[in-house]
Amino acid sequence: MNVLFCTSEAVPLIKTGGLADVSGALPPALHEIGVDCRVLLPGYPQVLDMAEPLHQVCELHGLPGHTSARLLQGVLPGSEVPLYVLDIPAAYDRLGGPYQDEHGHDHADNAWRFALLAKAAAMLASEATPLGWRPDVLHCNDWQTGLAPAYLHFMGAHTGTHTGSHTPSMMTVHNLAYQGIFPPEVMPRLDLPPASFAVNGIEYYGNVSFLKAGLYYANQLSTVSPTYAREIQQDTLGMGLQGLLRTRSAQLTGILNGIDTLDWNPGIDPLIPCAYRARSPGDKRTCKQRLQERMGLNVQNDAPLFGLIARMTPQKGLDLVLAVAEGIVNRGGQLVMLGTGDKLIEQAVRDTAAKHPGQVACFIGYDEALSHQIEAGSDVFLMPSRFEPCGLNQMYSLRYGAVPIVHATGGLNDTVEDGVTGFVFHHPTPHALWLAVEQALELYPIKPAWKRMMLNGMKQDFSWEHSAKAYKATYQNLIDARR
Ligand code: ADP
């Protein structure tokens, strides 16, 4: 089975968000289970530098704006996954990040830059590919690659041959909030038929939407959890695309992301003071004590310690946590929070910590080691996100025996089982969160029951192998449907 995995980011080469983690982990996991998955990335300077050695395999002509490109080949670092890099200095050799310049402004020609990537992907997936290798499935990820299914659809249409249309495409949404919306003036630069600028096409309220193009033209759609796949078809979380997603419901599936089970393994984690395993979780107590010391909390083993790690944005529901902080403290609990983001939320977090010295502590900033220490030292982990496509921290918490309390949304709903591995509440309100916190406070002193819940979580399997098998089955269905 051959799969071309087209993405704009992949760790360790280039990262701005979770898409990079998935793109760096899923292709190697697919490789492990026998899929010849190859990654296509734009030739950002960081990618060209780090992916050395690269060699040229062919040139691509006829990209949007009469552009030509060199296609380079190497391997995704740390894996055996073949990597194709689209080298177009005029488009990708820029200061700043993949989407913005060094001053934080979007590059003015992003529509063209990602049309190039999408068109290249479609060419490599078509019968006319210049490579000696052709994918059975073209897998596109997020808006940056959203035009690729449209190009495949229209490829050869003017000659009536439809050469590209035999390769099925899959579009995965990692974050529906980013849709790649551009004014209609970009249309001539995209090299798509003018007729595609329509409701039944790539038009979105008078603009062009790259993500919508993918959602409309791809044969298969997916997102990063089954619950989120349902939620994005509803008005509350559909972000304007719920109508289209509802019409494509039969082709929309949710596949949970995995986690890096080497980086996040309490049995071998070098970032925590004391390793521990599900079989002997007693050493977790040492981690708790060291966390209390580091954060200036009273060193008290019997105080239930609640942890939180999050980007401090409205999505993550920190206001709900702050609303129950006093209740936690009054019941003898402690709270530690790590994160950075909106200044107002950061300040509210600081204020709450200042009000309860020794019982509430925070660190405002990004600190990888502390994030591991919070997972290892906490008894309970709070994740009351208003929405969460997949979420990683609740999976880390389960593995580290920090019993999660989560809002029943997206991947949180799919990974935490209420009363078995954690506590799940159904309305993002302080009252509903408090009722879940109370349940945890009541169970915590009943040691055998608490330990059972911890161990149930620690035994869960969130490896990428699991996810890779689900993607492979979806690819197979697409291939079978074509036949
Ligand atoms: P999101 O991708 O929406 O931020 P996730 O739970 O999926 O949420 O992933 C967040 C990741 O970023 C986790 O690995 C988490 O530990 C990490 N993280 C977030 N904020 C911080 C921080 N301030 N310091 C260290 N790690 C952080």
Short mmCIF file of all heavy atoms in Angstrom, two decimals, residues 18 264 309-311 315-316 338-340 365-368 371 383 388 390-394 396, ligand 1:
data_model
loop_
_atom_site.label_atom_id
_atom_site.label_comp_id
_atom_site.label_asym_id
_atom_site.label_seq_id
_atom_site.Cartn_x
_atom_site.Cartn_y
_atom_site.Cartn_z
N GLY A 18 0.12 21.09 16.70
CA GLY A 18 -0.09 19.65 16.83
C GLY A 18 0.01 18.90 15.50
O GLY A 18 0.36 17.71 15.48
N TRP A 264 6.79 9.89 26.94
CA TRP A 264 5.82 9.98 28.03
C TRP A 264 5.62 8.60 28.64
O TRP A 264 4.59 7.97 28.46
CB TRP A 264 4.50 10.58 27.53
CG TRP A 264 4.66 12.02 27.15
CD1 TRP A 264 4.96 12.51 25.91
CD2 TRP A 264 4.55 13.16 28.02
NE1 TRP A 264 5.04 13.88 25.96
CE2 TRP A 264 4.79 14.31 27.24
CE3 TRP A 264 4.27 13.32 29.38
CZ2 TRP A 264 4.78 15.60 27.79
CZ3 TRP A 264 4.24 14.60 29.92
CH2 TRP A 264 4.49 15.72 29.11
N ILE A 309 -2.07 21.75 32.88
CA ILE A 309 -1.08 22.26 31.92
C ILE A 309 -1.88 22.66 30.68
O ILE A 309 -2.58 21.82 30.12
CB ILE A 309 -0.06 21.18 31.51
CG1 ILE A 309 0.60 20.56 32.74
CG2 ILE A 309 0.98 21.75 30.55
CD1 ILE A 309 1.25 19.20 32.46
N ALA A 310 -1.78 23.90 30.28
CA ALA A 310 -2.58 24.29 29.10
C ALA A 310 -2.10 25.60 28.51
O ALA A 310 -1.56 26.45 29.23
CB ALA A 310 -4.04 24.43 29.49
N ARG A 311 -2.31 25.73 27.20
CA ARG A 311 -2.21 27.06 26.61
C ARG A 311 -3.32 27.87 27.27
O ARG A 311 -4.47 27.39 27.37
CB ARG A 311 -2.46 26.99 25.10
CG ARG A 311 -1.32 26.40 24.31
CD ARG A 311 -1.60 26.44 22.82
NE ARG A 311 -2.73 25.58 22.46
CZ ARG A 311 -3.91 26.01 22.05
NH1 ARG A 311 -4.14 27.30 21.90
NH2 ARG A 311 -4.88 25.16 21.75
N GLN A 315 -10.39 28.54 25.06
CA GLN A 315 -10.71 27.14 24.74
C GLN A 315 -10.51 26.21 25.93
O GLN A 315 -11.25 25.25 26.14
CB GLN A 315 -9.84 26.65 23.57
CG GLN A 315 -10.04 25.16 23.24
CD GLN A 315 -8.94 24.56 22.38
OE1 GLN A 315 -8.19 25.28 21.74
NE2 GLN A 315 -8.84 23.25 22.35
N LYS A 316 -9.47 26.49 26.72
CA LYS A 316 -9.04 25.51 27.72
C LYS A 316 -9.81 25.57 29.04
O LYS A 316 -9.55 24.77 29.94
CB LYS A 316 -7.54 25.66 27.97
CG LYS A 316 -6.69 25.45 26.71
CD LYS A 316 -6.73 23.99 26.22
CE LYS A 316 -5.90 23.79 24.97
NZ LYS A 316 -5.91 22.40 24.50
N LEU A 338 0.32 25.24 35.03
CA LEU A 338 1.42 25.61 34.14
C LEU A 338 0.83 26.03 32.80
O LEU A 338 -0.01 25.33 32.24
CB LEU A 338 2.35 24.40 33.92
CG LEU A 338 3.33 24.48 32.74
CD1 LEU A 338 4.35 25.60 32.95
CD2 LEU A 338 4.05 23.14 32.53
N GLY A 339 1.28 27.17 32.29
CA GLY A 339 0.81 27.56 30.97
C GLY A 339 1.19 28.98 30.65
O GLY A 339 1.73 29.72 31.48
N THR A 340 0.90 29.34 29.41
CA THR A 340 1.13 30.71 28.97
C THR A 340 0.13 31.00 27.86
O THR A 340 -0.39 30.08 27.24
CB THR A 340 2.59 30.90 28.50
OG1 THR A 340 2.72 32.19 27.92
CG2 THR A 340 2.99 29.87 27.45
N GLY A 365 4.62 30.31 31.70
CA GLY A 365 5.72 30.16 30.76
C GLY A 365 5.65 28.77 30.16
O GLY A 365 4.72 28.01 30.46
N TYR A 366 6.62 28.46 29.31
CA TYR A 366 6.65 27.13 28.69
C TYR A 366 7.79 26.36 29.32
O TYR A 366 8.93 26.83 29.31
CB TYR A 366 6.83 27.24 27.18
CG TYR A 366 6.53 25.93 26.47
CD1 TYR A 366 5.25 25.68 25.96
CD2 TYR A 366 7.49 24.95 26.35
CE1 TYR A 366 4.95 24.48 25.35
CE2 TYR A 366 7.20 23.74 25.73
CZ TYR A 366 5.93 23.52 25.24
OH TYR A 366 5.63 22.31 24.64
N ASP A 367 7.52 25.20 29.91
CA ASP A 367 8.55 24.44 30.59
C ASP A 367 8.26 22.94 30.44
O ASP A 367 7.41 22.37 31.13
CB ASP A 367 8.58 24.83 32.08
CG ASP A 367 9.78 24.23 32.81
OD1 ASP A 367 10.20 23.11 32.46
OD2 ASP A 367 10.28 24.88 33.74
N GLU A 368 8.97 22.35 29.50
CA GLU A 368 8.76 20.94 29.17
C GLU A 368 8.97 20.04 30.39
O GLU A 368 8.15 19.16 30.68
CB GLU A 368 9.77 20.57 28.05
CG GLU A 368 9.64 19.19 27.48
CD GLU A 368 8.49 19.09 26.47
OE1 GLU A 368 8.10 20.10 25.88
OE2 GLU A 368 8.00 17.95 26.31
N SER A 371 6.26 20.25 32.89
CA SER A 371 5.02 19.59 32.45
C SER A 371 5.07 18.09 32.78
O SER A 371 4.08 17.51 33.22
CB SER A 371 4.75 19.83 30.96
OG SER A 371 5.62 19.08 30.14
N MET A 383 -8.82 19.06 33.01
CA MET A 383 -8.84 19.43 31.59
C MET A 383 -10.28 19.74 31.18
O MET A 383 -10.94 18.93 30.53
CB MET A 383 -8.24 18.30 30.75
CG MET A 383 -7.77 18.78 29.40
SD MET A 383 -6.37 17.83 28.81
CE MET A 383 -6.34 18.36 27.10
N GLU A 388 -12.08 20.26 22.28
CA GLU A 388 -10.75 19.66 22.24
C GLU A 388 -10.73 18.60 21.13
O GLU A 388 -11.21 17.49 21.34
CB GLU A 388 -10.44 19.02 23.60
CG GLU A 388 -9.00 18.67 23.85
CD GLU A 388 -8.09 19.90 23.87
OE1 GLU A 388 -8.08 20.63 24.88
OE2 GLU A 388 -7.40 20.11 22.85
N CYS A 390 -8.58 16.53 19.85
CA CYS A 390 -8.10 15.25 20.39
C CYS A 390 -7.60 15.47 21.82
O CYS A 390 -8.12 14.91 22.76
CB CYS A 390 -7.00 14.65 19.51
SG CYS A 390 -6.36 13.11 20.22
N GLY A 391 -6.57 16.31 21.98
CA GLY A 391 -5.99 16.54 23.31
C GLY A 391 -4.93 15.50 23.61
O GLY A 391 -5.08 14.32 23.27
N LEU A 392 -3.84 15.95 24.19
CA LEU A 392 -2.75 15.03 24.55
C LEU A 392 -2.64 14.87 26.06
O LEU A 392 -2.40 13.78 26.57
CB LEU A 392 -1.42 15.59 24.02
CG LEU A 392 -1.25 15.60 22.51
CD1 LEU A 392 0.01 16.37 22.14
CD2 LEU A 392 -1.19 14.19 21.98
N ASN A 393 -2.82 15.99 26.78
CA ASN A 393 -2.52 15.96 28.21
C ASN A 393 -3.36 14.96 28.99
O ASN A 393 -2.87 14.39 29.96
CB ASN A 393 -2.69 17.37 28.79
CG ASN A 393 -1.41 18.16 28.65
OD1 ASN A 393 -0.35 17.68 29.02
ND2 ASN A 393 -1.50 19.35 28.08
N GLN A 394 -4.61 14.75 28.56
CA GLN A 394 -5.40 13.77 29.31
C GLN A 394 -4.84 12.36 29.11
O GLN A 394 -4.91 11.53 30.02
CB GLN A 394 -6.89 13.86 28.91
CG GLN A 394 -7.29 13.12 27.64
CD GLN A 394 -6.91 13.85 26.35
OE1 GLN A 394 -6.17 14.82 26.37
NE2 GLN A 394 -7.41 13.38 25.23
N TYR A 396 -1.55 11.73 28.57
CA TYR A 396 -0.34 11.69 29.41
C TYR A 396 -0.76 11.42 30.86
O TYR A 396 -0.13 10.63 31.57
CB TYR A 396 0.42 13.02 29.37
CG TYR A 396 0.90 13.47 28.00
CD1 TYR A 396 1.10 14.82 27.73
CD2 TYR A 396 1.17 12.54 26.99
CE1 TYR A 396 1.56 15.25 26.49
CE2 TYR A 396 1.63 12.97 25.76
CZ TYR A 396 1.81 14.33 25.51
OH TYR A 396 2.25 14.76 24.30
P1 ADP B 1 -3.17 21.92 22.38
O1 ADP B 1 -2.56 21.21 21.21
O2 ADP B 1 -4.55 22.45 22.12
O3 ADP B 1 -2.29 22.94 23.00
P2 ADP B 1 -2.89 19.35 23.71
O4 ADP B 1 -3.31 18.83 25.04
O5 ADP B 1 -3.29 18.54 22.52
O6 ADP B 1 -3.42 20.84 23.56
O7 ADP B 1 -1.31 19.47 23.68
C1 ADP B 1 -0.63 20.40 24.43
C2 ADP B 1 0.82 20.00 24.49
O8 ADP B 1 1.62 21.13 24.81
C3 ADP B 1 1.09 18.99 25.55
O9 ADP B 1 2.19 18.22 25.17
C4 ADP B 1 1.40 19.89 26.75
O10 ADP B 1 2.11 19.21 27.75
C5 ADP B 1 2.19 20.96 26.10
N1 ADP B 1 2.14 22.24 26.78
C6 ADP B 1 1.18 23.20 26.69
N2 ADP B 1 1.51 24.29 27.41
C7 ADP B 1 2.71 24.02 27.97
C8 ADP B 1 3.60 24.75 28.82
N3 ADP B 1 3.30 25.98 29.24
N4 ADP B 1 4.76 24.17 29.18
C9 ADP B 1 5.06 22.93 28.77
N5 ADP B 1 4.27 22.19 27.95
C10 ADP B 1 3.12 22.72 27.56
#
